[in-house]
Amino acid sequence: MKTGESKTINVTISPENATDKSIVWTSSEPSVVTVKDGLLNALAAGTVMITAEADGKIARCTVKVIPSFINVESVSLDKPNASLKVGETVTLTATVKPDDATDKTVTWSSTDGSVASVSDGVVTAHKVGTATITAKSGDKGATCAITVEPTPVTSVTLNETSASLKVGETVTLTATVKPDDATDKTVIWSSTDGSVASVSDGVVTAHKLGTATITAKSGDKSATCAITVVPTPVTSVTLNETSATLKAGETVTLTATVKPDDATDKTVIWSSTDGSVASVSAGVVTAHKVGTATITAKSGDKSATCAITVVPTPVTSVTLNKTSASLKAGETVTLTATVKPDSATDKTVTWSSTDGSVASVSDGVVTAHKVGTATITAKSGDKA
């Protein structure tokens, strides 16, 4: 029985024709259970002996009275603590005593649901940290200390393990960090020689010829990519002139255009097939004598040429130091011829007299022979 309940006990008296069938009822603990005419009233928790006596005969019945509400006396958990990684779960089982407690409902709670939450005893880890899970029933409770530990990186891989670049070129490396639920998947990039190849967020840029190793590191795991920066070859050389005609002493400047613009070595080497006709220095061609020569500009294994023709420089004028002279027979006078320009190819002077019997001339020396007049001519080219 529960406290507050009433219950009737029926007693059978034999024989049925007994003269006195009156019954005397007694309770061993009237404070627990009272009895009157077989009607029991439970007053308090406990155990009593109910006695029914008729004509010297006795019947007994043990009655246990339990409280109408049985309080929870204790709550325990199957785990006092647990360590989890983010995303993992653990199921806690709560045991409520006594077994016959009136209300054994368990309420679950977490001191920090952002670290570890709980639902019906299932604890889920969310982020690194600590939280205390409490299972409460009535005014009793039990706790489990939850530690959410970091999920370490187990591997790092790159989409490329080696790459060849030219100066100025780039390649994008992608790092894959495992496991997917690693707590900190931050990748730190580095280069063994940033002057050769630098890296920023996985983008590798080539700066100069050489080799460098790019490393992607996350946690204590890493992966590498070997970068080789190779020369950018010359693809073409062109000259601003493909042919030129010069006179001795004249010059022309040739300009070489080397492609591509980012060629590693754009050094131009100049040469002439006949330096005695036309020589070249840093693209400046100088004509020396009549003839032909080919000027070559070479960069890498590419080249371009310019055909140079050196033509004669004609005489433009011939002048004498004297325009007239009077001599007596046997006397001489020396005439000096000036040929212009100074760079004329052939400055040879031919001397002649209109009347050699009067005055003859040899290499500009005029000799008088007899009375009369003669004209001395100095001719160079077609000028006199």
Side-chain angles (χ1 to χ4, degrees), residues 4-28:
E5 286 186 339
S6 297
K7 185 176 183 180
T8 300
I9 297 178
N10 296 315
V11 175
T12 301
I13 299 175
S14 297
E16 292 183 359
N17 60 353
T19 304
D20 184 1
K21 299 175 71 174
S22 61
I23 300 172
V24 177
W25 297 86
T26 58
S27 169
S28 62

Side-chain angles (χ1 to χ4, degrees), residues 158-217:
L158 289 173
N159 58 322
E160 302 284 351
T161 56
S162 64
S164 293
L165 301 175
K166 297 173 184 176
V167 173
E169 287 185 336
T170 63
V171 63
T172 299
L173 299 180
T174 301
T176 301
V177 180
K178 291 292 183 179
D180 293 336
D181 61 349
T183 302
D184 186 358
K185 297 173 72 176
T186 302
V187 176
I188 298 174
W189 297 88
S190 63
S191 170
T192 54
D193 192 340
S195 67
V196 171
S198 61
V199 62
S200 177
D201 294 329
V203 179
V204 180
T205 303
H207 299 295
K208 70 177 184 180
L209 300 186
T211 59
T213 299
I214 303 301
T215 300
K217 184 176 182 181

